[in-house]
Amino acid sequence: MIKSMRVTALAAALMAATSLTAVAEVVYNRGNTADPETLDQHKTSTIYEAHILRDLYEGLVSYSAEGKIIPGVAADWTISEDGTVYTFTLRDDARWSNGDPVVAGDFEYSLHRIMTPETGAKYATVLYPIKNAEKVNKGELKPEDLGVKAINDRTLEITLEQPTPFFIDLLGHQTGLPVHPATVEAKGTDFIKPENIVTNGAFTLTEFIPNAHIKAVKNPHFHDADNVKIDTILYHPTEDRGAAMRRFQAGELHTNNDAPTEQVDFMRENLGDQFRVAPYLGTYYYALNHEDEGLSNPDVRQALSMSIDREFLADEIWGSTMVAGYSFVPPGIGNYGDPAFADYKDMSQIDREDKAIELLEGAGYGPDNPLKLTINYNTSENHKNTAVAIADMWAPLGVEVSMINTDTKTHYAMLRDRQDFDVARAGWIGDYSDPQNFLFMVESDNDGFNYARYNNPDYDALMDKAAATIDLEERADVLKQAEELFMRDLPFIPLMYYGSMNLVSDKVGGFEDNLLNIHPSRWISISE
């Protein structure tokens, strides 16, 4: 009888402990724009993919809650006197989610892989400062010629073409994240599937249900796992910002990385501090297809740009969550002075419109011979309202506009695959605070981001010169010359500078506003 009672008591205690454990699980419901096109860090190109990948993997460097670069797998590093050789010492407690140690050879393998032409990395250019990277990526040299060498398991040496003051920042980009070599070799492109994936970050992938959620769970092998307060993350695709806001209000989302601008007043009144707006390093723009017959004329491109009332877009359409943009490089960026503003920046809107009509008439367009354009944009009421407003602004010029709306994945695939379009909505968020990170996009050989198909040898030469210039002030002058060409030729029409908008529950801790709008889940806590 006594033994039976003890067994019963023990069973009850175990059940209670199990119950407490289940209750204690912390689930973070994170709204995240859209389903990723890929979770291959070497093929990624979007911000919403980066949010997931930075949770799954850790690079040589990582990000703090404040969006600052901090040591990651690399415990520390040294830089040679000439600024071209970086030697990283890896921490001895870094582990993959299967328990394997993270070694220098993993990074050597990963950097070889991203530069191998067959990988098809859209963002390989970010790492071109590495010695021979561009030649390897273009098939002119073998991956073994890349300036990356594992000295031993805990020491990695990276040699650059020339001093690059922002190189450590580049390594914080998702393309600097490592893959698990053995898994890639065994599974090929299927290494990203939940049943195959091996990660080294704070979380590991367990489930991907398209149009529903992506599930990641805490990685017990992560070196800082004891300080990670989230057990499970559910990333929810939230292309419909209005629906996302309603889900947030209902408590279904703890955070969302955007908000419906048409409801800014409502959110400020009803959500209070849970609706956050902060400065953001990014530009909202329209890409113009330079191979289109009408848009190949620079006067036409200038007319379209100068007739747009950017203040109206920023204040009325976007509820003052954006700032009118008259340059492609946002003001305040590091290693730069004032950007190259459009020369009509200080003209009245009426004078701009008159000048635009004059330019279009000179190009042979007007009410009797309208310029017919199609604006492509990805799903969002914000993007739709912007396109409708711009179409109205172009109407007095004799421009007839039609519109095509597709989901985000389809839209960007269209741009990258160089399908036919006239005008397309896009945006760029800086990966690091340097003008090169904006201006590199329209170099003639940048197939991944030169949506306009812009090809100007003078522009390319200036970008090459800037890359070889060590003195920061001189380099800034060269980049300013490149941006002046950009603003003259207009591969993209800059429209607005971004402000980041986030919905953040008052139950969430560790979510710190920052210029890059980077919020790793390892720093997040939730109090129910």
Side-chain angles (χ1 to χ4, degrees):
M1 181 70 176
I2 293 175
K3 182 178 179 181
S4 175
M5 290 177 63
R6 285 176 177 172
V7 170
T8 302
L10 178 61
L14 288 172
M15 289 179 64
T18 301
S19 176
L20 286 172
T21 300
V23 171
E25 182 187 17
V26 180
V27 178
Y28 174 22
N29 287 289
R30 179 169 182 165
N32 190 45
T33 305
D35 279 337
E37 291 183 56
T38 180
L39 287 177
D40 184 336
Q41 51 268 62
H42 296 159
K43 297 181 180 181
T44 178
S45 64
T46 68
I47 294 295
Y48 50 88
E49 290 165 349
H51 292 326
I52 300 171
L53 288 166
R54 289 195 191 98
D55 283 346
L56 300 180
Y57 296 93
E58 182 176 59
L60 293 168
V61 297
S62 188
Y63 284 98
S64 69
E66 295 77 21
K68 303 295 185 182
I69 289 288
I70 59 173
V73 175
D76 55 57
W77 54 88
T78 60
I79 306 172
S80 63
E81 287 188 10
D82 67 356
T84 63
V85 180
Y86 287 67
T87 304
F88 297 88
T89 301
L90 274 55
R91 56 191 315 132
D92 57 11
D93 57 351
R95 294 285 184 275
W96 291 97
S97 54
N98 67 351
D100 289 349
V102 180
V103 296
D106 298 337
F107 285 93
E108 181 181 71
Y109 177 93
S110 298
L111 291 169
H112 284 179
R113 180 177 183 265
I114 192 172
M115 287 303 159
T116 301
E118 290 73 21
T119 300
K122 307 180 187 79
Y123 238 137
T125 53
V126 169
L127 297 172
Y128 273 10
I130 298 175
K131 189 172 181 62
N132 293 331
E134 183 173 3
K135 291 179 180 178
V136 171
N137 191 233
K138 292 180 177 179
E140 298 170 7
L141 290 175
K142 296 178 181 179
E144 294 74 24
D145 296 318
L146 189 67
V148 179
K149 183 179 180 181
I151 306 300
N152 54 49
D153 281 354
R154 291 194 57 212
T155 309
L156 181 73
E157 182 181 275
I158 298 181
T159 303
L160 308 185
E161 292 282 359
Q162 62 267 322
T164 305
F166 51 88
F167 181 65
I168 290 295
D169 294 282
L170 294 183
L171 293 177
H173 188 262
Q174 63 260 39
T175 49
L177 299 172
V179 295
H180 184 250
T183 303
V184 174
E185 290 297 313
K187 302 296 183 180
T189 56
D190 286 342
F191 83 92
I192 63 175
K193 292 185 176 181
E195 63 268 26
N196 299 328
I197 198 166
V198 177
T199 70
N200 74 322
F203 300 90
T204 193
L205 180 72
T206 59
E207 189 174 67
F208 183 178
I209 303 176
N211 301 314
H213 66 257
I214 290 172
K215 181 179 180 180
V217 300
K218 184 175 176 178
N219 174 12
H221 293 288
F222 181 58
H223 60 82
D224 195 35
D226 289 346
N227 291 314
V228 175
K229 300 177 178 64
I230 301 297
D231 298 308
T232 300
I233 311 171
L234 295 176
Y235 305 91
H236 301 270
T238 52
E239 283 190 298
D240 186 332
R241 275 72 165 174
M245 184 194 69
R246 291 188 290 275
R247 294 183 67 185
F248 177 81
Q249 287 182 287
E252 296 175 16
L253 298 175
H254 291 107
T255 65
N256 191 56
N257 66 325
D258 206 347
T261 55
E262 67 276 10
Q263 299 190 58
V264 165
D265 291 341
F266 172 86
M267 290 184 290
R268 284 179 170 146
E269 180 178 347
N270 292 277
L271 299 181
D273 292 340
Q274 295 184 111
F275 172 52
R276 299 195 191 180
V277 179
Y280 198 18
L281 190 66
T283 301
Y284 185 108
Y285 66 91
Y286 273 8
L288 304 179
N289 185 351
H290 278 220
E291 295 177 357
D292 177 85
E293 181 179 355
L295 294 174
S296 64
N297 186 326
D299 285 345
V300 170
R301 300 193 298 268
Q302 287 292 337
L304 294 174
S305 179
M306 68 174 58
S307 62
I308 296 172
D309 186 343
R310 291 160 170 81
E311 283 74 17
F312 178 85
L313 298 180
D315 296 336
E316 301 301 324
I317 301 296
W318 289 84
S320 298
T321 60
M322 297 272 215
V323 176
Y326 290 92
S327 63
F328 188 56
V329 177
I333 199 167
N335 303 321
Y336 210 37
D338 288 335
F341 292 114
D343 56 13
Y344 46 81
K345 175 178 179 290
D346 296 322
M347 290 173 60
S348 71
Q349 192 60 40
I350 294 176
D351 289 342
R352 286 187 214 165
E353 186 175 306
D354 289 343
K355 180 63 176 177
I357 291 172
E358 178 185 326
L359 288 172
L360 272 188
E361 287 178 346
Y365 296 104
D368 296 331
N369 182 34
L371 175 64
K372 297 182 179 181
L373 296 174
T374 298
I375 297 177
N376 289 67
Y377 66 92
N378 53 306
T379 303
S380 162
E381 282 302 307
N382 305 346
H383 302 330
K384 176 183 177 181
N385 293 340
T386 299
V388 170
I390 288 176
D392 288 344
M393 295 169 192
W394 285 348
L397 280 61
V399 178
E400 295 181 0
V401 175
S402 57
M403 299 181 195
I404 296 177
N405 162 228
T406 55
D407 64 89
T408 301
K409 181 177 179 179
T410 302
H411 178 75
Y412 277 100
M414 176 274 295
L415 289 175
R416 279 191 294 271
D417 294 343
R418 298 204 160 203
Q419 297 174 27
D420 189 38
F421 75 94
D422 299 331
V423 181
R425 177 268 154 193
W428 182 254
I429 306 303
D431 301 302
Y432 47 94
S433 187
D434 189 274
Q436 184 273 348
N437 189 222
F438 285 78
L439 299 175
F440 88 106
M441 294 179 67
V442 293
E443 292 180 36
S444 60
D445 61 352
N446 192 340
D447 293 336
F449 298 102
N450 186 1
Y451 306 142
R453 301 153 202 187
Y454 180 56
N455 189 344
N456 183 339
D458 292 337
Y459 184 89
D460 291 344
L462 286 168
M463 293 302 293
D464 289 342
K465 182 179 179 181
T469 302
I470 297 174
D471 182 86
L472 287 178
E473 289 188 10
E474 183 180 346
R475 176 177 177 270
D477 289 340
V478 176
L479 289 170
K480 179 74 167 285
Q481 294 174 48
E483 190 182 12
E484 287 169 351
L485 285 185
F486 181 107
M487 295 305 296
R488 183 197 72 185
D489 297 343
L490 286 179
F492 305 156
I493 296 178
L495 297 173
M496 293 168 283
Y497 309 122
Y498 278 102
S500 66
M501 292 189 294
N502 287 284
L503 300 178
V504 183
S505 169
D506 52 18
K507 298 177 181 179
V508 172
F511 193 104
E512 303 292 337
D513 295 332
N514 59 77
L515 192 62
L516 290 177
N517 199 28
I518 289 175
H519 305 282
S521 299
R522 66 179 284 197
W523 307 115
I524 299 297
S525 63
I526 296 174
S527 58
E528 294 295 349

